[in-house]
Amino acid sequence: MKEFASESGAVSYAKTFAYSHVEKIATRQWIWDDFPRYKVYENGFTTPQREFRTLADAKAFAAKLPFAQIRDLQQPGWISASYPKYRLYQGDKTLPEWSFAALADAKKTAKAYSNVHIIELSSNQWIWDNLSDEQKRLKRERTPVYAIDANGTAGAPDYAFLLDAMRAAAKVPGSTVRNSATGLDVYSNVPAFRVLQYGRPVHSFYGLAGALALAKTLPGASIESGGREWWTNVPYLTVLQNDKPIRSFHTRKAAVDYAARYAGAAVVTADGRRLWSNADKLLYWGWNGTGRTQSILTQAGAAQGLDADVPTWFELGSADGALNDYSDPELVERMKGTGTKVIPLVHNQFDAKLTSAFLRNPEGQSRFIGSLMERLSELGVDGVNLDFELMAGGDRGRYTAFVRNFTEAAHKRGLTVSIDLPRGDVSWDKFTAYDQRILGGIVDRVVVMAYDQHWSGSDEAGSVSELPWAEQGIKNYIAYGVPRNKLMLGIPFYVRDFTLDAAGKPIASRAIAMSDVPEVIAREQADVVYDPKSKQKKYTYAEDGHTHVFWAETPETVKARIDLIKKYDWAGVAVWKLGYETPDLWTMLLRLK
């Protein structure tokens, strides 16, 4: 839901939600929860509002009900219960309030009425009435109106007195008694309560008492009546693995401890609430675009749900393999305390000439790889991000060989390797230095830079990343055969504002952070239209005699990109760059994980 720097802030926020809990991010240690322990039922009926953390609260609520049963969700069955054992009738008729737990109470109410009788629910028999022998004789002399209905077929009315019809029906299993004058069924010989074991019917009973006596002797038992579960000793919590149940537990601690031993596990309640899960979630990686520690801490501190931070710490210094190092060991330790992985970026200064000379220097590559891996091990980071860009197409084979040697060296030190690659286009992929298919098979993660569709040097104005264009890039990488669980979609936290000439051609451009877009729109009073091609809002305004245009990146378009990776089952997203976004965006992203 949301992340906090302090435990008190997290607990205060969590208290505003039902079924919430607070975990420590780094360890997933369970700090606090407001899960109810007691649940109040009323003859099989309950709601989430009838759940309570304390027994005292449950009892206080139950006291308001004529018949209430209290379940301790951490143990089998009920811990207290009151339920109907007798029902009062006046002739054929009864009232909802004419159910009683004690025979004495039923008789007390009966004193106010004539022509009443009491049914014992456990035996389903007429056990008491206030009719005199003379009144019974007169009833039997009336025209018969009561018929036995067996298997849906009623015979001719044979009985004038209901008691006689009931006694006859008791000898016919599954029968009912119908009043032909009113057309109503006035008595049923069908047992109302079924005992089930592991979901399979075992035996049926007229009353709850008999069903309880049997159910308490059976593991995995429950009692069902009228489509409701009245009682159960089935544990309230179930551990699932890949959505398949593997074991049930009465206590949350036991369930979570057990689930933590399995991948893809979750703990769910009997009514379907998911309390805990270690199933794979979307990965969120953030690029800092800087190596400065304080900037990185500020950026990462605002990013809720951030799994990995990618600081710009290393670069290729020269063709002979010199390594320029801007890393900070203290930052690694501080990030570990928040549960965020550190995966430093290493780049080639985006210099094609330098990179070509380097890729033709085997000794320089060995020196560079050795120095970098040694430093990464000293830092204790989780992996490394390889961001070699703007390379000559003729270096395709040499770059692939370098990536293979680079990854083998990283893996020997227990480090993962991610690589940043262009969005891809089948029309020119073969002319680039990137063999996506082979590179995707070598490294652990592939970050697809699905932005800069229109960049500072574009000959036409356009979106940084049209949504259909990004989706086609996703399809391209699937077609390359790169495993989906390796793929991460690079998404922009910025837009590009183009200055146009009189013919509508770009003459200049500048990048604007997402967080600054609303201010630009308001200040310039920009006009807006929806662009169906990009599936984004297009803004235009006039300044200094020129028309300006940009396509907005908003929380809605970010969500649309998340929806795409869910649709195509990718591992997650990589954002460029941290600090460009509005803080509230991360609350949405956290909930989309």
Side-chain angles (χ1 to χ4, degrees), residues 308-591:
D309 184 89
V310 185
T312 304
W313 272 354
F314 302 102
E315 67 181 18
L316 174 64
S318 62
D320 64 359
L323 175 69
N324 295 335
D325 179 355
Y326 309 101
S327 60
D328 180 358
E330 182 182 349
L331 177 63
V332 178
E333 292 304 312
R334 294 181 69 172
M335 283 293 190
K336 285 182 178 179
T338 68
T340 305
K341 294 181 178 180
V342 177
I343 302 177
L345 178 146
V346 55
H347 64 82
N348 62 336
Q349 300 190 48
F350 309 140
D351 186 327
K353 184 176 180 181
L354 167 65
T355 309
S356 288
F358 171 70
L359 293 175
R360 287 168 173 77
N361 186 338
E363 292 182 359
Q365 291 179 52
S366 296
R367 177 189 176 195
F368 177 78
I369 292 172
S371 298
L372 178 60
M373 298 306 159
E374 181 68 26
R375 182 56 175 161
L376 292 171
S377 295
E378 291 173 356
L379 290 168
V381 297
D382 296 276
V384 59
N385 175 245
L386 188 59
D387 187 30
F388 276 32
E389 298 183 38
L390 301 180
M391 295 189 296
D395 288 330
R396 184 184 184 95
R398 282 180 281 272
Y399 183 60
T400 299
F402 166 71
V403 172
R404 181 175 282 109
N405 293 335
F406 185 96
T407 303
E408 288 177 355
H411 285 174
K412 287 179 180 178
R413 293 182 178 261
L415 300 165
T416 63
V417 175
S418 57
I419 191 170
D420 302 338
L421 296 177
R423 171 259 194 193
D425 189 317
V426 293
S427 63
W428 53 263
D429 281 344
K430 62 183 178 182
F431 302 111
T432 73
Y434 307 106
D435 190 326
Q436 288 96 336
R437 181 182 63 82
I438 296 178
L439 292 173
I442 295 171
V443 299
D444 304 291
R445 300 276 183 202
V446 174
V447 178
V448 180
M449 297 183 288
Y451 41 77
D452 279 349
Q453 177 184 1
H454 298 90
W455 69 102
S456 58
S458 292
D459 56 6
E460 65 175 14
S463 168
V464 166
S465 177
E466 297 173 356
L467 287 166
W469 179 85
E471 182 171 14
Q472 184 56 52
I474 291 173
K475 293 177 180 178
N476 289 346
Y477 272 81
I478 293 173
Y480 298 147
V482 180
R484 296 176 195 241
N485 63 355
K486 287 188 176 185
L487 291 164
M488 300 186 68
L489 183 68
I491 64 176
F493 276 1
Y494 67 97
V495 303
R496 186 160 292 282
D497 182 322
F498 289 92
T499 304
L500 308 180
D501 63 16
K505 292 294 184 181
I507 56 175
S509 71
R510 65 186 179 108
I512 302 177
M514 275 184 69
S515 57
D516 294 332
V517 167
E519 189 273 332
V520 173
I521 294 171
R523 184 186 68 235
E524 304 295 344
Q525 297 183 342
D527 295 323
V528 59
V529 296
Y530 177 75
D531 177 16
K533 180 173 180 288
S534 65
K535 296 187 176 181
Q536 293 173 291
K537 291 179 179 178
K538 176 183 176 182
Y539 288 88
T540 58
Y541 65 93
E543 185 181 67
D544 298 331
H546 290 286
T547 297
H548 289 251
V549 61
F550 64 86
W551 284 255
E553 191 69 23
T554 65
E556 289 74 25
T557 57
V558 171
K559 181 181 182 300
R561 298 181 196 280
I562 299 291
D563 290 342
L564 285 176
I565 64 169
K566 289 184 177 182
K567 175 181 176 181
Y568 292 100
D569 196 25
W570 279 28
V573 297
V575 301
W576 179 268
K577 69 178 183 137
L578 293 176
Y580 278 2
E581 75 284 3
T582 55
D584 59 332
L585 180 67
W586 283 105
T587 300
M588 179 192 76
L589 288 172
L590 180 64
R591 295 176 183 180

Side-chain angles (χ1 to χ4, degrees), residues 104-428:
D105 292 334
K107 289 181 177 181
K108 182 178 180 181
T109 300
K111 290 180 179 180
Y113 302 93
S114 61
N115 188 31
V116 298
H117 64 271
I118 297 173
I119 298 291
E120 182 185 57
L121 298 178
S122 61
S123 63
N124 202 32
Q125 293 301 307
W126 179 315
I127 62 165
W128 181 91
D129 61 65
N130 62 5
L131 294 169
S132 66
D133 291 342
E134 179 62 16
Q135 288 173 320
K136 292 178 182 179
R137 182 185 67 78
L138 291 174
K139 284 181 177 291
R140 289 187 172 103
E141 291 178 354
R142 294 177 181 176
T143 302
V145 293
Y146 297 108
I148 308 300
D149 187 338
N151 300 318
T153 302
D158 293 329
Y159 304 94
F161 186 24
L162 178 58
L163 175 59
D164 297 335
M166 288 173 55
R167 287 173 175 170
K171 301 175 183 178
V172 183
S175 63
T176 58
V177 175
R178 177 169 296 176
N179 184 328
S180 60
T182 63
L184 299 176
D185 290 337
V186 296
Y187 171 80
S188 174
N189 193 33
V190 179
F193 295 90
R194 291 196 309 163
V195 175
L196 297 91
Q197 187 176 31
Y198 301 118
R200 296 181 179 180
V202 176
H203 196 68
S204 296
F205 296 85
Y206 293 117
L208 184 57
L212 280 170
L214 175 61
K216 289 179 179 179
T217 68
L218 303 174
S222 61
I223 299 173
E224 180 268 342
S225 180
R228 295 176 180 171
E229 183 180 78
W230 283 54
W231 181 96
T232 184
N233 62 14
V234 176
Y236 188 61
L237 302 175
T238 298
V239 175
L240 308 178
Q241 186 180 34
N242 300 323
D243 292 328
K244 295 182 179 179
I246 55 176
R247 190 169 174 182
S248 295
F249 295 86
H250 288 292
T251 67
R252 187 265 303 164
K253 185 179 187 307
V256 171
D257 288 349
Y258 184 82
R261 295 157 47 189
Y262 295 87
V267 177
V268 299
T269 66
D271 44 6
R273 288 189 182 91
R274 189 170 293 244
L275 302 188
W276 184 93
S277 172
N278 65 1
D280 288 341
K281 297 181 179 180
L282 292 179
L283 294 175
Y284 290 164
W285 289 12
W287 270 243
N288 302 114
T290 181
R292 293 190 296 273
T293 296
Q294 190 53 53
S295 296
I296 293 169
L297 289 172
T298 300
Q299 292 172 356
Q304 298 182 58
L306 188 68
D307 297 288
D309 184 89
V310 185
T312 304
W313 272 354
F314 302 102
E315 67 181 18
L316 174 64
S318 62
D320 64 359
L323 175 69
N324 295 335
D325 179 355
Y326 309 101
S327 60
D328 180 358
E330 182 182 349
L331 177 63
V332 178
E333 292 304 312
R334 294 181 69 172
M335 283 293 190
K336 285 182 178 179
T338 68
T340 305
K341 294 181 178 180
V342 177
I343 302 177
L345 178 146
V346 55
H347 64 82
N348 62 336
Q349 300 190 48
F350 309 140
D351 186 327
K353 184 176 180 181
L354 167 65
T355 309
S356 288
F358 171 70
L359 293 175
R360 287 168 173 77
N361 186 338
E363 292 182 359
Q365 291 179 52
S366 296
R367 177 189 176 195
F368 177 78
I369 292 172
S371 298
L372 178 60
M373 298 306 159
E374 181 68 26
R375 182 56 175 161
L376 292 171
S377 295
E378 291 173 356
L379 290 168
V381 297
D382 296 276
V384 59
N385 175 245
L386 188 59
D387 187 30
F388 276 32
E389 298 183 38
L390 301 180
M391 295 189 296
D395 288 330
R396 184 184 184 95
R398 282 180 281 272
Y399 183 60
T400 299
F402 166 71
V403 172
R404 181 175 282 109
N405 293 335
F406 185 96
T407 303
E408 288 177 355
H411 285 174
K412 287 179 180 178
R413 293 182 178 261
L415 300 165
T416 63
V417 175
S418 57
I419 191 170
D420 302 338
L421 296 177
R423 171 259 194 193
D425 189 317
V426 293
S427 63
W428 53 263

